[in-house]
Amino acid sequence: MAEPNRRTPGRPRDTDAEARIMAAAVEEYAEHGWAGYSLNAVARRAGVSKSTIYLRWPDKDSLLTDSVTARTHDIEDVDTGTLRGDLEALAANLLRHDLDPLGWATLRMAVDAAGAPTPPRRFAEQVTNQHRVAAVSILSRAVERGEATTTLPDSLVTEALYGTITMLALSRPSDRRIMGADEVAAAVVPVVDFVLAAVRDRLVSPAPLVQ
Amino acid sequence: MAEPNRRTPGRPRDTDAEARIMAAAVEEYAEHGWAGYSLNAVARRAGVSKSTIYLRWPDKDSLLTDSVTARTHDIEDVDTGTLRGDLEALAANLLRHDLDPLGWATLRMAVDAAGAPTPPRRFAEQVTNQHRVAAVSILSRAVERGEATTTLPDSLVTEALYGTITMLALSRPSDRRIMGADEVAAAVVPVVDFVLAAVRDRLVSPAPLVQ
Amino acid sequence: MAEPNRRTPGRPRDTDAEARIMAAAVEEYAEHGWAGYSLNAVARRAGVSKSTIYLRWPDKDSLLTDSVTARTHDIEDVDTGTLRGDLEALAANLLRHDLDPLGWATLRMAVDAAGAPTPPRRFAEQVTNQHRVAAVSILSRAVERGEATTTLPDSLVTEALYGTITMLALSRPSDRRIMGADEVAAAVVPVVDFVLAAVRDRLVSPAPLVQ
Amino acid sequence: MAEPNRRTPGRPRDTDAEARIMAAAVEEYAEHGWAGYSLNAVARRAGVSKSTIYLRWPDKDSLLTDSVTARTHDIEDVDTGTLRGDLEALAANLLRHDLDPLGWATLRMAVDAAGAPTPPRRFAEQVTNQHRVAAVSILSRAVERGEATTTLPDSLVTEALYGTITMLALSRPSDRRIMGADEVAAAVVPVVDFVLAAVRDRLVSPAPLVQ
DNA sequence: AATTAATCGAGACGGTACGTCGGGTCTTATG
DNA sequence: CATAAGACCCGACGTACCGTCTCGATTAATT
């Protein structure tokens, strides 16, 4: 067995540089938008020279893409025990994600990637798939628990939930994009109601609907 | 007083310059994205000098915002006589809009505008409101016709419809973003089904649902 | 007759920028040598942006070449009335020229140009020809005055004079490169003596030689 | 103490590295001039890492200075038995030296060193002294043989000879810098004639002059 | 007809960022 | 110890674009 992480010759790369750079990239982007997002500034903020960045990424686009995707893995799929509970948790996560600058960046890049004629094709898929996975496992757990039938249309549920939440976030004026945990929880309920109502006859014991 | 559009002295502005510039702006943006969207290129493409542009817009952001909004007025609200028909027509319009480069640009700018710390704040509202108006009038027509009760939650319907369609468009790989009219019509049906199912008990004579 | 200096369209170039830039270039080069000669510094010193420089010269080498050649035209051919007087005046000019930073730069570039594999081929010729011309006219005046015969070998006289003076300057340590007018005059005499001695039998009435 | 060249502990220095590096330095410099002379390239060409170079020289200037001076020892003082013969041999050597890339480099560095504000001050002196030594011994041999009086002004002879030859080489276009042995010999004769004519009355039996 | 006032093309200009490259220092593993 | 390999910081390179500016040329409306 060859040593897998055999040390390459030469000075090893600074271990935290990578992380510091990516953090700085996201922050700069979040603060100034694409037009004001400057690699020089990123370097300065990360306490690193430009060369160090260009040693790792070919250009500023790649750096941003990587930085954002790397940070997007934190949408977790919590198991609350009920379909409604799971969906509300997921929706709350989505909303929180869309409201903070990082989520905004993700969204922005998904849009970019979707329409761009150039390579970053997989970006949108990565992002949307990630959410789809969460939704699918929620639904299959519901079936396992006997809460729902197997005819639950997962892709529609995903798209409706994610889409609705995203529109909700998008239409929120920028000065009201900071919401407390309870606000988020409250905002999410009608959306989940709506989705559950749509799939009502695929549910075994009709979940409690809009009050 | 007398003449409202009294001719100002001096050489009058070129009448089509405005239009040519805006068209060029959108095209450049659609082709190269924000990173590659250059005012010099816009000027060249429009057959106009930079001064002519800067006489009309303060900076390149404003030009783009104006150019895109000006072209987005074509989401029409067709009256087909039934709620399902109206919704399908609206959904098809939305999907078509999201799939072509202009719609993509709109979306992109909405996202930008939503998160940006700088002025173009009203952009997102303009765009989303425009769609909301269409949805609202569709729903009120349904109520007038006696198809639905007045408890129809218009904002949720709007957001679900628009959001789901958008997600549909976003998750479509860039080489499959060209759809024929029938494809669009077909793709739209399950979404409308989903929405109608969700509001089923607000409808007077339950619309025919999923097969 | 077409107007020769017909104004080109667009904003006219700053008239003194050119001069300021070239002056700054020579100064920077003289102070720091090639290794420390930086275009950024030149721009700063000239109170001009880099673009303004690159609008006029393709790269920093060309700028330097131009700047130096443009300033080298000041080796004048003074007519003192006698062959010895003319030669001493020329020699003094050459020595002064070689001793100051500009002359040093000229020399340096002549050397560069002579060996370089790339275009600036004509530089050396320009510079050396300029001096040759002065020498030739000095000699022909001597012949006209009846001081010398027509067999005076001008190219050798030129090369010996210029070469010897240059060696003199080169071998001078850098802290002793500032000479007063009288020092220069004194340093030049033996060199002219030497040259006149070499062409002694081409002179009509043997000039007074070494005392 | 027993062993004078006691091996120091640790890995011994690569013995030819030094030579390979210096060779590479001169070649790179000759090919690309100072502007294109890069330490990275030197290291690559010498098959050596940059550390190995920096262990031996403090910076790239020093490396170049050393490399060039080390190679310049080949201006030999041949004893042909006559003053004229010696001078012609020396002049031919000088001309050959000035014409090949190494000599060009030497010259270039001499010029640099003469005007530069920074350390390599001794370079010019080293180089010019080396030639002066050859000339001095030629002249003293001539005196010993009874060919010349002791009033021969060695410094002037040196500077005139070296200077004239250098000008000759400098004014030669770069595509005509390759001369055969006979061409060199022929080109040198008039220069020696010139110098001998200048010192004619310091010679015991007047050497045969220009025909 | 002469004047005035604005538009327009053309392009110079200062500035800032890009992505690249080189110098000189450093850090590591291997001889 | 010396070496190879290469990461790292710094700063210059030459390019591109923005938004401003200065011109001359054009084009009406106004004297």
Side-chain angles (χ1 to χ4, degrees):
Chain A
M1 274 308 163
E3 194 86 39
N5 25 5
R6 180 72 189 299
R7 213 37 170 303
T8 104
R11 173 173 175 174
R13 294 203 167 172
D14 185 334
T15 42
D16 5 307
E18 212 126 335
R20 286 208 317 276
I21 295 169
M22 292 172 70
V26 173
E27 289 163 21
E28 283 290 324
Y29 182 66
E31 283 177 18
H32 308 297
W34 174 268
Y37 157 68
S38 134
L39 245 181
N40 286 335
V42 170
R44 217 177 311 125
R45 186 175 208 138
V48 135
S49 77
K50 263 201 302 177
S51 346
T52 304
I53 298 186
Y54 279 105
L55 219 49
R56 294 166 161 79
W57 290 274
D59 52 35
K60 65 189 236 174
D61 306 35
S62 319
L63 167 58
L64 188 56
T65 308
D66 273 22
S67 309
V68 170
T69 33
R71 282 230 185 162
T72 309
H73 294 307
D74 51 0
I75 300 225
E76 309 165 42
D77 165 25
V78 267
D79 184 350
T80 65
T82 69
L83 177 56
R84 165 174 292 272
D86 286 3
L87 287 180
E88 282 183 0
L90 175 62
N93 273 336
L94 288 173
L95 183 51
R96 256 196 304 275
H97 181 252
D98 279 354
L99 284 178
D100 92 352
L102 178 62
W104 166 53
T106 314
L107 192 54
R108 193 186 205 300
M109 302 197 59
V111 175
D112 271 13
T118 26
R121 212 176 306 182
R122 278 201 322 245
F123 185 82
E125 302 166 20
Q126 273 184 35
V127 172
T128 46
N129 270 349
Q130 192 174 337
H131 301 303
R132 192 184 312 273
V133 164
V136 167
S137 66
I138 286 178
L139 298 186
S140 63
R141 276 204 305 271
V143 172
E144 280 172 21
R145 279 192 302 259
E147 271 189 282
T149 74
T150 54
T151 61
L152 260 179
D154 55 4
S155 103
L156 256 186
V157 169
T158 313
E159 272 155 9
L161 195 69
Y162 190 30
T164 312
I165 294 290
T166 303
M167 284 306 121
L168 212 76
L170 263 190
S171 61
R172 212 164 177 85
S174 50
D175 51 342
R176 294 187 48 223
R177 295 176 70 83
I178 298 181
M179 301 175 74
D182 43 351
E183 278 184 288
V184 169
V188 143
V189 172
V191 177
V192 172
D193 284 342
F194 187 86
V195 169
L196 283 180
V199 296
R200 194 183 335 166
D201 41 358
R202 263 76 169 233
L203 304 181
V204 169
S205 71
L209 289 183
V210 208
Q211 43 284 58
Chain B
M1 286 302 171
E3 297 190 289
N5 28 4
R6 180 74 184 298
R7 223 20 182 312
T8 103
R11 173 172 176 175
R13 293 201 168 171
D14 184 335
T15 43
D16 15 301
E18 212 126 338
R20 285 207 318 275
I21 294 169
M22 292 171 71
V26 172
E27 289 162 22
E28 284 289 326
Y29 182 67
E31 282 177 20
H32 308 298
W34 174 268
Y37 157 68
S38 136
L39 248 186
N40 287 332
V42 171
R44 214 178 313 124
R45 186 174 207 138
V48 136
S49 76
K50 269 201 297 178
S51 347
T52 307
I53 298 185
Y54 278 102
L55 270 178
R56 294 165 162 80
W57 290 273
D59 52 33
K60 68 182 218 170
D61 305 33
S62 320
L63 166 58
L64 187 56
T65 307
D66 275 20
S67 309
V68 170
T69 34
R71 283 227 183 165
T72 310
H73 295 306
D74 51 0
I75 301 232
E76 308 165 44
D77 167 25
V78 267
D79 184 350
T80 64
T82 69
L83 175 57
R84 162 174 295 271
D86 284 4
L87 287 180
E88 283 183 358
L90 176 61
N93 272 336
L94 288 174
L95 184 51
R96 258 196 303 275
H97 181 252
D98 280 354
L99 285 177
D100 93 351
L102 179 61
W104 167 53
T106 314
L107 193 54
R108 202 166 162 165
M109 301 197 58
V111 174
D112 269 13
T118 27
R121 211 173 312 181
R122 276 199 329 243
F123 185 83
E125 302 167 20
Q126 276 186 34
V127 171
T128 46
N129 271 348
Q130 193 172 336
H131 301 304
R132 191 185 315 273
V133 165
V136 167
S137 66
I138 285 177
L139 297 187
S140 63
R141 277 205 305 272
V143 172
E144 279 173 22
R145 278 195 301 262
E147 271 188 281
T149 74
T150 55
T151 60
L152 258 178
D154 56 3
S155 102
L156 256 186
V157 169
T158 314
E159 274 156 8
L161 196 68
Y162 191 28
T164 311
I165 294 289
T166 302
M167 285 305 122
L168 212 76
L170 263 190
S171 59
R172 217 170 172 80
S174 51
D175 50 342
R176 294 188 45 223
R177 296 176 69 83
I178 298 180
M179 300 175 74
D182 41 351
E183 279 183 287
V184 169
V188 143
V189 172
V191 177
V192 172
D193 283 343
F194 187 87
V195 170
L196 284 180
V199 298
R200 195 183 336 168
D201 42 356
R202 266 75 171 232
L203 303 181
V204 170
S205 72
L209 290 183
V210 208
Q211 57 291 28
Chain C
M1 274 307 164
E3 196 87 40
N5 26 5
R6 182 70 188 299
R7 210 39 168 302
T8 104
R11 174 173 174 176
R13 295 202 166 172
D14 185 333
T15 41
D16 4 306
E18 212 126 338
R20 285 208 318 277
I21 294 169
M22 292 172 71
V26 172
E27 289 163 22
E28 283 289 326
Y29 180 67
E31 283 177 20
H32 308 298
W34 173 267
Y37 158 69
S38 135
L39 246 182
N40 285 336
V42 170
R44 217 177 310 125
R45 184 173 210 141
V48 135
S49 76
K50 264 200 300 178
S51 351
T52 305
I53 298 186
Y54 279 103
L55 220 47
R56 295 166 161 79
W57 290 275
D59 51 35
K60 65 188 238 177
D61 306 34
S62 319
L63 166 58
L64 188 56
T65 307
D66 273 22
S67 309
V68 170
T69 32
R71 281 231 185 162
T72 309
H73 295 306
D74 51 1
I75 300 226
E76 310 164 43
D77 166 25
V78 268
D79 185 348
T80 64
T82 68
L83 177 56
R84 164 173 293 272
D86 284 5
L87 287 180
E88 282 183 357
L90 176 61
N93 274 335
L94 289 173
L95 183 52
R96 258 196 303 275
H97 180 252
D98 279 355
L99 284 178
D100 91 351
L102 178 62
W104 166 53
T106 315
L107 194 55
R108 192 186 206 301
M109 303 198 59
V111 174
D112 272 13
T118 26
R121 211 174 309 182
R122 275 202 324 245
F123 184 84
E125 301 167 22
Q126 274 185 33
V127 170
T128 48
N129 270 349
Q130 193 173 336
H131 301 303
R132 192 185 313 274
V133 165
V136 166
S137 65
I138 285 178
L139 298 187
S140 63
R141 278 204 305 273
V143 171
E144 278 172 22
R145 279 193 303 259
E147 271 189 282
T149 73
T150 54
T151 61
L152 260 178
D154 55 3
S155 105
L156 256 185
V157 169
T158 315
E159 273 156 8
L161 197 68
Y162 191 30
T164 311
I165 294 290
T166 303
M167 285 305 121
L168 212 75
L170 263 190
S171 60
R172 217 169 172 83
S174 51
D175 50 342
R176 295 187 47 222
R177 295 175 70 84
I178 298 181
M179 301 175 73
D182 41 351
E183 278 183 288
V184 168
V188 143
V189 172
V191 177
V192 172
D193 285 342
F194 187 86
V195 169
L196 283 179
V199 297
R200 194 183 336 167
D201 41 356
R202 265 74 171 234
L203 305 181
V204 169
S205 72
L209 289 184
V210 208
Q211 38 285 57
Chain D
M1 288 294 175
E3 295 188 295
N5 25 6
R6 178 72 188 296
R7 234 358 196 324
T8 99
R11 175 169 173 177
R13 287 201 168 178
D14 185 335
T15 43
D16 18 298
E18 211 127 337
R20 286 209 317 276
I21 295 170
M22 292 172 70
V26 172
E27 289 163 22
E28 283 289 324
Y29 181 66
E31 281 177 21
H32 309 297
W34 174 267
Y37 156 67
S38 135
L39 251 187
N40 287 332
V42 171
R44 214 178 312 123
R45 187 174 206 138
V48 136
S49 77
K50 269 202 294 179
S51 346
T52 306
I53 298 185
Y54 277 102
L55 268 179
R56 294 167 161 78
W57 289 273
D59 52 35
K60 70 181 216 170
D61 304 34
S62 318
L63 167 58
L64 187 56
T65 308
D66 275 20
S67 310
V68 170
T69 33
R71 282 228 185 165
T72 310
H73 295 307
D74 50 359
I75 300 232
E76 308 166 42
D77 166 26
V78 267
D79 184 349
T80 65
T82 68
L83 175 57
R84 164 173 294 271
D86 285 4
L87 288 180
E88 283 184 357
L90 175 62
N93 273 335
L94 288 174
L95 184 53
R96 258 196 303 274
H97 180 252
D98 280 355
L99 285 178
D100 93 350
L102 178 62
W104 166 55
T106 314
L107 193 55
R108 201 163 161 169
M109 301 196 59
V111 174
D112 268 14
T118 27
R121 211 175 310 182
R122 277 200 326 245
F123 185 82
E125 302 166 19
Q126 276 184 32
V127 171
T128 47
N129 271 349
Q130 193 174 339
H131 301 305
R132 194 185 313 274
V133 165
V136 166
S137 65
I138 285 178
L139 297 187
S140 63
R141 276 204 306 271
V143 172
E144 278 171 23
R145 278 193 302 259
E147 271 189 284
T149 74
T150 55
T151 60
L152 259 179
D154 56 2
S155 102
L156 256 187
V157 170
T158 314
E159 272 155 10
L161 196 69
Y162 191 29
T164 313
I165 294 290
T166 303
M167 285 305 121
L168 212 76
L170 264 190
S171 60
R172 213 164 176 87
S174 51
D175 50 341
R176 294 186 48 221
R177 295 175 70 82
I178 297 181
M179 301 175 72
D182 43 350
E183 279 183 288
V184 169
V188 144
V189 172
V191 177
V192 172
D193 285 341
F194 188 86
V195 169
L196 283 179
V199 296
R200 194 181 338 168
D201 41 357
R202 264 75 170 233
L203 303 182
V204 169
S205 70
L209 291 183
V210 210
Q211 39 288 57

